[in-house]
Amino acid sequence: MNPLLQVSQITKSFIERELETRVLNGVNFSLQPGELVALLGPSGSGKSTLLSIVGLLLSPTAGSMRLLGDEVAQLNESQRSAYRSRHLGFVFQAHHLLPDFTARENVAFPAAAPRNRMTGAMHRRAAQLLDQVGLSERIDFRSTALSGGQKQRVAVARALMNKPQLVLADEPTGNLDRETGFQVMDLMKQINRAEGTTFLISTHDTQIAERCDYRIHLLDGRIDRVD
Amino acid sequence: MFQWQVAWRYLTSNLLQSALLIAGVALGVVAFVFITALINGLAIVLTEETTGSIAHITLEPQVRVAPVLTDQSDYAATPVSNSQRRQIRDWQVLVSMIEAMPGVVAVRPEIDGNGFLVRGEAVAPVAIKGIEPEKLSVVAPIADSIVSGRADLSAGSLLIGTQLAGDLGLGVGQPVILRTERDRERLLTVGGIFETGIASVDERLAYLNLRSARPLFELPDGVIQLSIRLQDPADAETLAPALASLTGLHAVPWQERNRNLEDALAAQASTGSLIQLFAMVSIAIGVASALLLSTYRRRSEIGIMRSFGISRRFVAMVFVIQGLLVGLLGGLVGALSGYALCLWLYSIRQADGDPILPIAPDQGGYALVIALTTLCAVLAAVLPARAASRLDPLEAIQQ
Ligand SMILES: Nc1ncnc2c1ncn2[C@@H]1O[C@H](COP(=O)(O)OP(=O)(O)OP(=O)(O)O)[C@@H](O)[C@H]1O
Ligand SMILES: [Mg+2]
């Protein structure tokens, strides 16, 4: 089977006050469609940086990256933007919901904006996704009226709105208590099993990582091991 | 359009802040409307003052120069020597013809000429208007300006201004000799004294019966000019050429003799434009700073939108539309408030019944100000919109 994502020899350096720090130093790995993968590593090991590069939010200093068969490391800003819209979903540590919109509108937003209209079909899909994440009773709540765990579940639903092939989650449970964190994790696993959506989830929590198919360990800018 | 929904949601999310912003814009619009209505009102008053007591179009005989005699004989008009008296002979026909024209209120045939009033040792120059008695007040409201005596233009009666009467020590019923430029003399009686408030008129002008004027100016049947009053003085410049070609006479619209009024109005208008410009600039600065603040406050939201792959264009448009809505709403609210303010100012009257300010409430440039304000607000939103659309999603999210 063709890999969904193939990362080869990715390096990333940040230059600050003429001092170059190499955060990633030759990262290689690939993801198969339908996998649920954890990204582990100590703080500062470059997990967020790697997810940003894979998510086309950050350009690598060197290396190549194939996503769905396309070479994506050197795309320009508007191409990357279009690619993100069509193929990728994001969940961040902070939910980043739009406070002026309801849960349903937040979920539908990534579909409505590129077409510049909110259709009934989008509303229905958003409601269905909210149902899937267990929030069928909260669909028309303002996002500010939801609890932390509920907000993060809305964020998961929103990441799925455009039917992405790959969802990148950067410490999605980092702001939640353990129990709520597990619920959100189980939700992602359930979606992964039901829809076959590929997930790459960075976390510090080994119990969260345990729930994934396998774990990629990042250390000193390289992949230390995969288990 | 989803962009409009998002822009509207952003504007209504903080009602107090948006209301203040729109109020600020509206205030600038009120200033714009006020100054526009005032400048236009002033122009109307000044024009009315000027056109209220003068002929709107004057028809005079052409200045005819005897053509050089050649063997060409295709001249339509018979060559006439310039030594001939300039006069309008067929004026009776012309008067009834022009009076029947739409837009024309009255036509007054006049024998205009100069002379001296002599009373004993005292002599004063005078400009004589020989007119038909029933047309005394069709150009300037002379009958209403009579301060002593009557508006009586029967044969042998003279109406003079207060200043002239004072200069010669003349009172109503007293005799005075008129000596004309044709060197004719006649003893006349002062029938009435008028005061128009226009110094040159009160000092120099005298009205005389047309028939009495004929022998004095040696015009047995012609007149010197026709004074025409129009319903709308503004039509004078378009009607004059038509009248000229219709009558073959030289037609002079009032504007030609009052160029200084035009200059004064132009100077006022440019002062007004400067204030209008300041109003627009302050509106633009207000909108730009408010929206810039909003992009800063919302940068994490903008970052998350951009991370979903929502285009820069979409983000920019959301802010441009907010500018447009603020401009449109501020323009509408400001135009309405400005109109109310002008109406109120217009309703405050002086003792003589005139408004304290010569403001024209229906001349506030309302459509213009709404359009300009919307345009300014859209342009002012471009800067914040660009700032928002260029936000790096990663930086915004990691805040
Ligand atoms: N924009 C940047 N400019 C300079 N240095 C950066 C930048 N972003 C990240 N770094 C550096 O890169 C290194 C890796 O950061 P990154 O956020 O990827 O780590 P992480 O594994 O996600 O850590 P954590 O578990 O704490 O989230 C850090 O040393 C950080 O200081
Ligand atoms: Mg991180």
Side-chain angles (χ1 to χ4, degrees):
Chain A
M1 206 186 333
N2 273 334
L4 176 80
L5 170 74
Q6 180 139 34
V7 172
S8 328
Q9 287 302 104
I10 288 286
T11 66
K12 180 68 189 177
S13 305
F14 291 105
I15 298 168
E16 224 167 333
R17 290 199 214 95
E18 295 177 22
L19 196 74
E20 185 178 331
T21 29
R22 180 154 286 203
V23 177
L24 299 177
N25 191 11
V27 174
N28 298 290
F29 72 96
S30 59
L31 296 180
Q32 300 300 327
E35 287 181 335
L36 179 68
V37 182
L39 184 60
L40 288 159
S43 184
S45 60
K47 301 183 295 296
S48 296
T49 305
L50 182 58
L51 282 179
S52 300
I53 290 172
V54 171
L56 306 180
L57 291 168
L58 193 64
S59 294
T61 308
S64 74
M65 198 162 73
R66 292 185 84 78
L67 194 56
L68 296 156
D70 303 319
E71 176 56 54
V72 292
Q74 304 304 328
L75 295 180
N76 69 26
E77 168 48 38
S78 68
Q79 290 169 321
R80 287 194 284 156
S81 179
Y83 215 96
R84 290 199 297 269
S85 168
R86 250 172 270 145
H87 305 297
L88 301 174
F90 293 89
V91 182
F92 297 98
Q93 183 168 354
H95 56 82
H96 291 296
L97 294 184
L98 309 179
D100 301 311
F101 293 82
T102 64
R104 185 189 352 213
E105 288 166 335
N106 263 283
V107 173
F109 208 102
R115 291 160 194 86
N116 203 9
R117 66 203 157 88
M118 181 79 91
T119 65
M122 291 174 194
H123 268 297
R124 281 191 296 280
R125 172 157 172 80
Q128 184 199 326
L129 282 166
L130 284 167
D131 185 37
Q132 214 174 337
V133 300
L135 288 174
S136 50
E137 260 133 56
R138 301 273 190 283
I139 53 173
D140 289 321
F141 276 46
R142 283 259 158 159
S143 61
T144 44
L146 300 173
S147 74
Q150 288 169 337
K151 282 178 187 161
Q152 199 61 320
R153 281 193 267 168
V154 174
V156 171
R158 177 176 62 180
L160 297 168
M161 181 69 194
N162 284 343
K163 301 192 172 132
Q165 282 91 341
L166 175 60
V167 172
L168 302 161
D170 192 0
E171 294 189 49
T173 63
N175 281 4
L176 306 176
D177 63 64
R178 281 184 75 75
E179 203 45 50
T180 317
F182 291 145
Q183 281 172 15
V184 169
M185 180 60 218
D186 290 341
L187 174 68
M188 289 191 286
K189 184 162 185 169
Q190 178 200 321
I191 289 158
N192 164 264
R193 295 300 184 246
E195 321 271 334
T197 309
T198 310
F199 281 81
L200 181 58
I201 304 166
S202 86
T203 182
H204 284 286
D205 188 324
T206 47
Q207 271 182 283
I208 294 282
E210 286 300 314
R211 287 165 150 85
C212 294
D213 297 340
Y214 62 90
R215 287 143 292 279
I216 297 173
H217 293 264
L218 212 53
L219 190 68
D220 296 333
R222 285 174 193 277
I223 291 184
D224 183 45
R225 65 196 156 88
V226 177
D227 58 23
Chain B
M1 294 287 268
F2 192 53
Q3 287 165 342
W4 290 80
Q5 285 168 257
V6 176
W8 182 253
R9 194 67 68 85
Y10 273 10
L11 274 184
T12 50
S13 86
N14 193 333
L15 278 178
L16 180 65
Q17 194 177 316
S18 300
L20 280 175
L21 174 59
I22 288 167
V25 171
L27 208 63
V29 172
V30 168
F32 185 109
V33 163
F34 169 74
I35 202 71
T36 308
L38 185 61
I39 296 274
N40 286 337
L42 245 133
I44 290 169
V45 166
L46 284 180
T47 308
E48 265 171 11
E49 264 174 16
T50 306
T51 58
S53 53
I54 58 168
H56 296 152
I57 298 177
T58 312
L59 288 176
E60 303 164 345
Q62 294 281 4
V63 180
R64 287 191 288 199
V65 177
V68 181
L69 291 173
T70 64
D71 45 358
Q72 282 176 295
S73 57
D74 49 350
Y75 286 100
T78 332
V80 177
S81 150
N82 59 356
S83 62
Q84 192 171 339
R85 185 78 187 272
R86 286 176 57 198
Q87 58 173 300
I88 305 169
R89 285 184 195 280
D90 50 354
W91 58 274
Q92 268 143 326
V93 182
L94 291 179
V95 167
S96 46
M97 186 172 78
I98 297 167
E99 271 183 340
M101 285 174 66
V104 174
V105 174
V107 182
R108 182 167 78 185
E110 295 174 2
I111 291 178
D112 287 41
N114 293 305
F116 292 96
L117 287 184
V118 184
R119 186 180 186 231
E121 294 286 286
V123 175
V126 68
I128 300 290
K129 265 190 191 303
I131 56 173
E132 298 164 324
E134 68 275 16
K135 288 192 171 167
L136 173 66
S137 291
V138 298
V139 173
I142 293 300
D144 298 338
S145 315
I146 296 289
V147 288
S148 73
R150 290 184 306 114
D152 166 31
L153 265 191
S154 54
S157 171
L158 192 67
L159 302 181
I160 60 174
T162 43
Q163 188 72 42
L164 186 58
D167 289 351
L168 292 172
L170 277 171
V172 172
Q174 292 184 334
V176 64
I177 295 168
L178 170 63
R179 185 183 304 139
T180 69
E181 62 198 27
R182 296 261 149 192
D183 224 11
R184 298 292 188 103
E185 274 187 18
R186 183 174 172 184
L187 187 67
L188 300 165
T189 312
V190 176
I193 295 172
F194 56 81
E195 182 167 12
T196 62
I198 305 163
S200 59
V201 170
D202 293 343
E203 189 185 335
R204 279 291 309 270
L205 198 64
Y207 288 92
L208 188 64
N209 188 304
L210 184 70
R211 245 175 273 144
S212 308
R214 290 202 176 284
L216 284 165
F217 291 94
E218 295 176 348
L219 276 172
D221 38 39
V223 298
I224 297 292
Q225 64 175 26
L226 300 178
S227 284
I228 300 170
R229 287 284 289 185
L230 303 177
Q231 242 144 36
D232 185 358
D235 293 341
E237 279 184 318
T238 51
L239 259 174
L243 281 172
S245 61
L246 186 74
T247 60
L249 296 169
H250 183 51
V252 185
W254 66 270
Q255 289 95 334
E256 218 165 276
R257 293 196 169 135
N258 292 275
R259 290 290 177 216
N260 53 346
L261 173 70
E262 242 162 72
D263 294 345
L265 294 183
Q268 266 179 24
S270 54
T271 310
S273 303
L274 196 70
I275 297 172
Q276 290 167 338
L277 180 74
F278 285 157
M280 283 301 140
V281 169
S282 71
I283 286 170
I285 291 174
V287 171
S289 66
L291 287 182
L292 214 49
L293 209 67
S294 155
T295 63
Y296 185 74
R297 217 161 36 83
R298 294 187 185 277
R299 67 197 181 290
S300 94
E301 286 173 54
I302 297 165
I304 198 78
M305 284 188 206
R306 296 276 297 116
S307 78
F308 298 151
I310 290 167
S311 65
R312 287 184 165 173
R313 204 188 139 73
F314 182 93
V315 172
M317 279 308 285
V318 166
F319 284 88
V320 168
I321 292 168
Q322 286 185 71
L324 187 143
L325 290 172
V326 165
L328 199 63
L329 285 172
L332 285 169
V333 171
L336 277 174
S337 320
Y339 184 56
L341 175 74
C342 291
L343 278 182
W344 177 67
L345 289 172
Y346 186 71
S347 72
I348 304 178
R349 299 295 162 131
Q350 288 170 325
D352 64 0
D354 283 346
I356 48 160
L357 281 176
I359 204 160
D362 54 346
Q363 305 264 323
Y366 300 101
L368 174 76
V369 74
I370 292 169
L372 272 181
T373 305
T374 309
L375 183 74
C376 270
V378 166
L379 291 178
V382 167
L383 185 80
R386 279 168 65 107
S389 71
R390 294 192 172 184
L391 243 143
D392 177 11
L394 208 52
E395 252 174 61
I397 290 163
Q398 284 169 348
Q399 298 285 328

